[in-house]
Amino acid sequence: MSTEPRDTDVPDPPTTDLVHLRADGVSVVVDLVGGTLPRVLHWGADLGAPDPAVLADLRHATRPVPLGFPVDGEVAAAVLPEQSAGHVGTPGLTGSRDGRDFSTAFAVTGHTVEHTDDATQRLAVQAVDAAAGLALELVLELTAQGLVRQRGTLTNTADDVYALDGLLLTLPVPAAATELLDFSGRWARERSPQRTAFTHGTRLRDNRRGRTGYDTAFVLVAGTPSFGHRRGQVWGLHTAWSGNHRTLAERSHHQPGLLGGGELLTAGEVRLAPGESYTSPWTYGSWGVGLDALAGRFHRWMRARPQHPRTPRPVTLNTWEAVYFAHDLDRLTELADAAAAIGAERYVLDDGWFGSRRDDTRGLGDWYVSADVWPEGLHPLVDHVTGLGMQFGLWVEPEMVNPDSDLARAHPDWILRVPARLPRPARHQQVLDLAHPDAYAYILERLDALLTEYRIGYLKWDHNRDLVDAGHAGVAGVHGQTLAVYRLLDELRARHPGVEIESCSSGGARVDLEILQRTDRIWGSDCIDALERQQIQRWTNLLVPLELIGAHVGSGTAHSTGRRHALSFRAGTALFGHLGIEWDLREADAAQRAELAAWVAAYKELRGLLHTGTAVHADVADPSHHVHGVVAHDGSDAVFAVVATATSDALPTGRLTFPGLDPDATYHVRPQPPGDVVDGLGSHGPSLPWWTPDGVRLTGRVLAEVGVQVPVLFPEHLVLVRATRV
């Protein structure tokens, strides 16, 4: 056995090939030593400002004993893992030239570190594999809010075509992260959480719906045991792409853990001719202690974007569940009058205004105002709505077409399909091929004409089916369709910068950070049952700040579940979002209208706090109750909801805590009208002693650690608590 020293026994000298990025309590240490693709040595808590020699010793101190690897020497997965480096898990790059150049061995040719105007630190790494005829640029950024985001650009430098099958980027997590949280879902029940152990092997979440999906992994979180909203270290990854994509968590005996994501490409979808490039979606990583901290980084980053909505989020009346397809000017103007009377600020005309669209079987694609229903066009309704001081909004579904439409009959070649057959219909519709230049030009012209003719301030942009058998010019077309939708939205926004756009997709099936670069809110779900919405909105808020989550007050009976809820529960749930109304208010009695008006007034009072503050959630041991709220960034004010979803084992209900406040400040804690009315056992007998406008005065530390007794609520009821610093 040789006793000669190995290079692994020699400490690494200080080098600029170790890059340390720091922001908002987060450190990312990137190892470029040796000229191979970058490896992340640490992503997590801030390490301070060690000098280069300490970073070099960190690298040396964390190198493993070179035993048990599939090749001689150590194996460290790069942000784009390569089998040539000994990685035998999921590869970062897959593709070939008719079977050749199937495995790469990139060598780094240079890297730069720069600081952008928004305080983002950007590491750009250039690499080549001359033998494979490929060049790669990897960009890793640490934003001012402590978010890590990555993307890669692959360029074909050879003389023949390279068929790209996938480009996936990863971030490491430590062995201490033993639990995974991701999400499942379906129509009207989006973002349902599921927990699994983070064991050896690969947890792969492939999405092949052609849109983000009800059942997307959403944010894939790895965390320390029993992590919660306020406890445990968590590392989360989001793949920002509105088409097919994949997200994975992977662990093996020589790799403590990786989280990865990228676009899911089907066979032949991306073929790079000589000189052509492919750029992957951004993947975002967020670290924190507790899920609230992880979410807060996403929220602060989104709010810092220049295009983020700055004006108060207007109370929105949507006509869908009020009238469905039954459009009638008198009925709709009466509804507008009722909406304005309770304080609505935006009125949205939903499906049924165009072509032959009297139901969901026909007319999609014929984006001309129906002369049968609207002989004078939409002007009488638009004028009436805007005359009441409300903004006018309109529903569209530009990416879809009914076979029973003038558009489909005139241009059957504008439908995404394989050559031999049409895809099976869904909701009586097919998908318009927006990668077809003529189809794209038609939709752009129609939407531009509508926005030019009418005073439209808002588009509800829907997308009501999965993309199945979605072919363009004989090859898979989801990649091209996704990029075309982005181009279309970008062009419309450039032409009509004052128009806001909502991303709706059968409810919440297109919610991701890339579509939200082009839209101003998402429709959380077609289900506005308040009980279901408590969970849907809670987990949507893991990624999306409240002001971008459409949340509506429905009628007494939820249309998607048949449940009946008190108006206080419906309105108190919708309060924590971008509040709207989806209810035929002409049928509401005077008492209901007055109560709804009170909730609308409370929303207007609170939305400055709700839409700029920090979202918090208590880790409540009692599964029947949930406490969530928003705390002002300076800790001066907060509003919380105490929600009973079931009956409690305890009677009376025990203490609940209120997190996120300044621990050393004293707060005036009291019920918040109109959520101060208690519906529950004993509500007509002895009252909770402190449940008065005078309330109590407690420190933030006491509220977080000890808590207060809360009212005994009937299931599916809530109350509001206000805490103001004194």
Side-chain angles (χ1 to χ4, degrees), residues 259-448:
L259 303 180
E263 185 179 8
L264 192 160
L265 297 172
T266 52
E269 194 163 14
V270 173
R271 292 171 58 83
L272 299 178
E276 287 187 339
S277 298
Y278 165 86
T279 298
S280 74
W282 287 105
T283 58
Y284 291 75
S286 183
W287 170 86
V289 176
L291 294 169
D292 284 352
L294 179 150
R297 297 192 190 281
F298 286 118
H299 300 169
R300 294 194 300 277
W301 177 79
M302 296 187 75
R303 287 170 174 169
R305 301 170 305 156
Q307 75 270 33
H308 194 77
R310 305 294 174 196
T311 56
R313 302 292 77 216
V315 178
T316 299
L317 184 287
N318 186 279
T319 66
W320 179 241
E321 288 195 3
V323 303
Y324 289 100
F325 290 103
H327 285 198
D328 172 82
L329 179 60
D330 290 340
R331 183 180 184 183
L332 288 165
T333 54
E334 288 176 18
L335 184 59
D337 292 338
I342 58 92
E345 299 161 305
R346 174 184 284 159
Y347 180 99
V348 180
L349 182 67
D350 212 286
D351 198 354
W353 56 268
F354 55 93
S356 60
R357 187 74 166 178
R358 306 288 81 80
D359 55 41
D360 68 355
T361 67
R362 52 190 167 145
L364 269 181
D366 299 337
W367 300 110
Y368 296 87
V369 177
S370 172
D372 295 335
V373 179
W374 301 97
E376 299 178 65
L378 295 177
H379 292 292
L381 182 61
V382 174
D383 291 345
H384 187 83
V385 166
T386 55
L388 291 167
M390 293 187 292
Q391 187 185 96
F392 184 80
L394 193 65
W395 179 95
V396 293
E397 192 175 358
E399 300 156 71
M400 301 296 157
V401 59
N402 287 130
D404 185 2
S405 66
D406 293 340
L407 179 66
R409 284 185 285 270
H411 299 286
D413 56 318
W414 289 4
I415 294 175
L416 277 174
R417 58 178 298 170
V418 297
R421 63 184 180 274
L422 274 177
R424 294 177 61 177
R427 284 197 62 177
H428 313 285
Q429 61 194 55
Q430 297 289 349
V431 184
L432 197 65
D433 183 1
L434 291 178
H436 191 298
D438 294 336
Y440 178 95
Y442 165 76
I443 292 296
L444 177 60
E445 184 278 328
R446 282 290 76 224
L447 295 179
D448 182 46

Side-chain angles (χ1 to χ4, degrees), residues 366-702:
D366 299 337
W367 300 110
Y368 296 87
V369 177
S370 172
D372 295 335
V373 179
W374 301 97
E376 299 178 65
L378 295 177
H379 292 292
L381 182 61
V382 174
D383 291 345
H384 187 83
V385 166
T386 55
L388 291 167
M390 293 187 292
Q391 187 185 96
F392 184 80
L394 193 65
W395 179 95
V396 293
E397 192 175 358
E399 300 156 71
M400 301 296 157
V401 59
N402 287 130
D404 185 2
S405 66
D406 293 340
L407 179 66
R409 284 185 285 270
H411 299 286
D413 56 318
W414 289 4
I415 294 175
L416 277 174
R417 58 178 298 170
V418 297
R421 63 184 180 274
L422 274 177
R424 294 177 61 177
R427 284 197 62 177
H428 313 285
Q429 61 194 55
Q430 297 289 349
V431 184
L432 197 65
D433 183 1
L434 291 178
H436 191 298
D438 294 336
Y440 178 95
Y442 165 76
I443 292 296
L444 177 60
E445 184 278 328
R446 282 290 76 224
L447 295 179
D448 182 46
L450 288 164
L451 293 173
T452 300
E453 179 178 357
Y454 295 103
R455 284 177 290 170
I456 297 170
Y458 176 84
L459 288 179
K460 179 181 178 181
W461 186 297
D462 214 341
H463 178 284
N464 274 315
R465 68 156 293 169
D466 293 333
L467 276 60
V468 176
D469 260 2
H472 164 79
V475 298
V478 171
H479 173 76
Q481 180 78 0
T482 306
L483 293 176
V485 171
Y486 291 161
R487 289 196 304 273
L488 179 61
L489 287 164
D490 290 343
E491 180 61 28
L492 282 170
R493 294 193 71 112
R495 295 187 185 189
H496 304 276
V499 175
E500 292 192 357
I501 300 175
E502 174 185 79
S503 173
C504 174
S505 187
S506 313
R510 186 153 67 181
V511 179
D512 62 80
L513 289 185
E514 196 59 34
I515 200 69
L516 277 166
Q517 294 300 92
R518 297 160 173 86
T519 54
D520 302 283
R521 82 169 201 169
I522 54 95
W523 181 223
S525 177
D526 279 345
C527 177
I528 51 178
D529 174 316
L531 181 62
E532 298 291 336
R533 271 292 185 132
Q534 281 288 329
Q535 173 167 283
I536 293 167
Q537 290 171 202
R538 172 185 180 182
W539 293 113
T540 301
N541 187 224
L542 187 63
L543 180 72
V544 183
L546 294 179
E547 65 270 24
L548 302 186
I549 303 173
H552 289 185
V553 181
S555 62
T557 301
H559 291 203
S560 59
T561 65
R563 284 196 191 100
R564 291 192 61 82
H565 287 128
L567 178 52
S568 59
F569 189 55
R570 285 140 52 205
T573 298
L575 182 75
F576 290 87
H578 179 178
L579 184 135
I581 302 150
E582 203 150 334
W583 178 7
D584 189 351
L585 294 176
R586 302 172 313 140
E587 299 176 352
D589 61 30
Q592 290 173 319
R593 293 192 192 195
E595 185 179 356
L596 181 57
W599 279 99
V600 168
Y603 168 77
K604 291 179 179 179
E605 176 201 345
L606 292 167
R607 63 186 165 189
L609 168 63
L610 292 167
H611 296 165
T612 63
T614 300
V616 297
H617 303 76
D619 290 311
V620 179
D622 186 340
S624 69
H625 279 67
H626 180 48
V627 176
H628 66 91
V630 178
V631 179
H633 283 305
D634 64 359
S636 61
D637 199 6
V639 61
F640 297 91
V642 177
V643 185
T645 57
T647 58
S648 174
D649 289 341
L651 187 68
T653 308
R655 299 179 197 152
L656 295 179
T657 58
F658 295 84
L661 298 164
D662 180 346
D664 298 318
T666 299
Y667 290 87
H668 178 204
V669 184
R670 74 275 187 198
Q672 168 66 49
D676 56 342
V677 178
V678 177
D679 288 321
L681 292 174
S683 57
H684 301 294
S687 61
L688 190 65
W690 72 271
W691 197 258
T692 69
D694 287 340
V696 289
R697 283 159 178 78
L698 299 169
T699 65
R701 183 173 282 106
V702 168

Side-chain angles (χ1 to χ4, degrees), residues 111-178:
H111 72 272
T112 59
V113 179
E114 62 176 329
H115 292 246
T116 65
D117 291 341
D118 63 357
T120 293
Q121 301 163 66
R122 177 178 298 146
L123 167 65
V125 178
Q126 295 77 39
V128 297
D129 182 338
L134 296 170
L136 178 68
E137 181 180 55
L138 296 171
V139 175
L140 185 150
E141 295 183 346
L142 184 64
T143 73
Q145 301 78 24
L147 277 184
V148 182
R149 65 179 200 156
Q150 296 187 95
R151 71 177 178 186
T153 298
L154 183 74
T155 301
N156 181 11
T157 60
D159 294 330
D160 55 351
V161 171
Y162 181 82
L164 176 64
D165 295 328
L167 195 161
L168 182 140
L169 299 175
T170 68
L171 286 168
V173 296
T178 58

Side-chain angles (χ1 to χ4, degrees), residues 5-60:
R6 301 169 55 107
D7 61 356
T8 54
D9 298 325
V10 179
D12 295 305
T15 173
T16 57
D17 289 343
L18 283 167
V19 177
H20 184 197
L21 310 178
R22 301 173 62 210
D24 197 29
V26 173
S27 277
V28 180
V29 180
V30 183
D31 180 9
L32 288 158
V33 174
T36 55
L37 291 181
R39 288 87 56 200
V40 174
L41 295 182
H42 171 78
W43 164 42
D46 188 9
L47 301 180
D51 63 34
V54 172
L55 288 180
D57 277 351
L58 168 66
R59 179 184 186 276
H60 185 61

